């Protein structure tokens, strides 16, 4: 027997079934009409997985997983139907996610860039400090490659947080740890300008003297600049002219 022969006409369906279908449709319409309109709800950033779990999930491709994880973290503030302000994120969790990304790919620089220039730009000093502390901790693991983010953290501490002791701590870390030949002289000289801002002129003189003696500064222009700066510090009246005043750190 063919399938067409097995089909029954519509008229064979009991009326009770039609009534039940109609009642169901009416109830569905009434339920939808009475329900509150859907509202987008922000999800909290979940805790970062353990490094062991991430390495297992990477299937031998930790760098690829590092990039995917970074995309996940950076895109978390944009959720369906809404955008979450950075200041509303749990920065403790954000820092741990960034740490995991960096642990998967230690040569990657993007987590440090995001911490110092993206999340660190939030208008919340407490959250900004969490990011700066993250950069400082990770800088110590590879100072000759990660010094740019430490320098930016020093500028954030100096100009946004107005925390000169913290800025000096970061600048001092660059001078003492980032000693590779690729590290520019201005990065090692940042501490001098911060000391001047702190009015610790004796320390600034001693630091310039040390930079001139240790042989790390070889560029003739940098040597002349430091010598002139030392002369100005030794002759305060000349400093009032401010003709050689130069801000430390990279230009924005």
């Amino acid at each position: 027997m063919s399938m067409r022969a097995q089909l029954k006409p519509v008229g064979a369906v009991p009326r009770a079934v039609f009534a039940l279908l109609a009642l169901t449709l009416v109830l569905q319409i009434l339920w939808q009409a009475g329900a509150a309109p859907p509202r987008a709800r922000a999800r909290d950033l979940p805790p970062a997985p353990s490094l062991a779990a991430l390495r297992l999930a990477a299937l031998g491709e930790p760098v690829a997983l590092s990039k995917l994880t970074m995309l996940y973290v950076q895109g978390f503030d944009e959720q369906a139907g809404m955008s979450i302000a950075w200041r509303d994120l749990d920065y403790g969790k954000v820092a741990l996610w960034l740490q995991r990304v960096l642990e998967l790919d230690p040569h990657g620089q993007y987590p440090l860039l995001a911490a110092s220039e993206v999340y660190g730009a939030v208008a919340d000093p407490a959250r900004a400090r969490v990011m700066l502390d993250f950069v400082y901790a990770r800088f110590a693991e590879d100072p000759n490659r990660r010094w740019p983010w430490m320098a930016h953290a020093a500028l954030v501490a100096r100009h946004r947080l107005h925390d000169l002791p913290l800025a000096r701590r970061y600048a001092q870390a660059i001078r003492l740890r980032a000693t590779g030949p690729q590290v520019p002289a201005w990065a090692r000289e940042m501490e001098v300008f911060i000391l001047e801002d702190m009015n610790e002129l004796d320390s600034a003189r001693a630091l310039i003297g040390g930079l001139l003696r240790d042989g790390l500064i070889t560029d003739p222009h940098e040597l002349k600049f430091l010598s002139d700066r030392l002369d100005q510090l030794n002759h305060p009246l000349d400093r009032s002219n401010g003709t050689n005043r130069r801000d430390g750190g990279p230009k924005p």
Side-chain angles (χ1 to χ4, degrees), residues 73-96:
V73 175
Q74 195 160 13
F76 195 83
D77 56 308
E78 294 292 339
Q79 299 185 14
M82 63 184 311
S83 179
I84 304 174
W86 290 334
R87 63 177 177 275
D88 293 332
L89 294 174
D90 184 330
Y91 265 41
K93 292 180 180 178
V94 172
L96 192 54

Side-chain angles (χ1 to χ4, degrees), residues 140-220:
E141 299 167 353
D142 192 355
N144 286 329
R145 293 184 67 252
R146 297 177 179 175
W147 66 265
W149 321 118
M150 192 74 267
H152 190 269
L155 293 178
V156 171
R158 179 184 182 187
H159 295 293
R160 294 186 193 166
L161 300 181
H162 306 290
D163 188 339
L164 290 177
L166 183 64
R168 187 199 173 184
R169 180 186 177 195
Y170 294 160
Q172 187 179 54
I174 294 173
R175 177 175 62 85
L176 295 178
R177 300 177 183 175
T179 55
Q182 72 277 26
V183 180
W186 65 256
R188 291 191 293 266
E189 297 166 6
M190 288 182 69
E191 189 182 358
V192 173
F193 304 100
I194 296 172
L195 285 170
E196 290 186 43
D197 288 344
M198 297 172 71
N199 204 29
E200 294 190 12
L201 302 185
D202 288 341
S203 298
R205 292 187 191 95
L207 179 55
I208 292 177
L211 290 171
L212 292 173
R213 286 194 307 271
D214 62 13
L216 294 176
I217 308 297
T218 56
D219 183 276

Side-chain angles (χ1 to χ4, degrees), residues 4-25:
R4 186 180 184 82
Q6 294 178 348
L7 295 177
K8 295 181 179 180
V10 177
V13 179
R15 291 184 178 180
V17 174
F18 284 115
L20 182 60
L21 288 175
L23 178 61
T24 303
L25 179 61

